């Protein structure tokens, strides 16, 4: 009687690493983005809400970097079905 060869265990599929905003680090690259008064007000209100309701004292740049990371992750994961693609197609 021969011993059966051990069954091969497939490599575990690792979920993609979630992209994160760069946080509080010194940034060496700068871009300028123009926003409407309403968009700036909404960004500032989000920043204040993060402080008041969640205890997170962050600046607008950090909020924007996190938002970019979230949108890019969604695009990479969902492609055509991503929120970014769907919203850009609506325009």
């Amino acid at each position: 009687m021969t011993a059966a060869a051990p069954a091969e265990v497939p490599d575990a599929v690792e979920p993609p690493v979630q992209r994160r905003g760069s946080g509080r680090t010194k940034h060496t690259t700068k871009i300028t983005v123009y926003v409407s008064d309403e968009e700036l007000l909404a960004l500032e209100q989000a920043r204040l809400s993060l402080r008041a309701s969640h205890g997170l004292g962050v600046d607008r740049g950090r909020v924007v970097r996190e938002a970019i990371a979230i949108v890019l992750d969604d695009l990479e994961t969902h492609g055509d079905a991503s929120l970014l693609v769907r919203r850009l197609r609506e325009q």
Side-chain angles (χ1 to χ4, degrees):
M1 177 185 251
T2 60
E8 287 188 32
V9 178
D11 292 332
V13 176
E14 293 184 29
V17 175
Q18 188 177 32
R19 187 178 269 112
R20 295 295 312 245
S22 55
R24 293 188 60 161
T25 61
K26 179 160 175 60
H27 298 93
T28 59
T29 306
K30 179 181 176 180
I31 65 169
T32 300
V33 177
Y34 292 91
V35 297
S36 69
D37 291 340
E38 293 82 15
E39 290 166 332
L40 182 59
L41 182 58
L43 178 58
E44 188 62 19
Q45 288 173 335
R47 187 187 72 77
L48 293 172
S49 173
L50 287 168
R51 179 184 298 271
S53 300
H54 306 284
L56 297 169
V58 296
D59 61 28
R60 293 183 302 213
R62 177 121 183 247
V63 173
V64 170
R65 288 189 299 275
E66 287 296 335
I68 290 170
I70 290 166
V71 168
L72 294 177
D73 266 350
D74 183 54
L75 176 62
E76 186 175 305
T77 302
H78 299 105
D80 262 0
S82 70
L83 182 60
L84 180 62
V85 170
R86 288 181 292 153
R87 289 187 63 152
L88 291 174
R89 283 188 174 147
E90 290 174 0
Q91 295 178 358

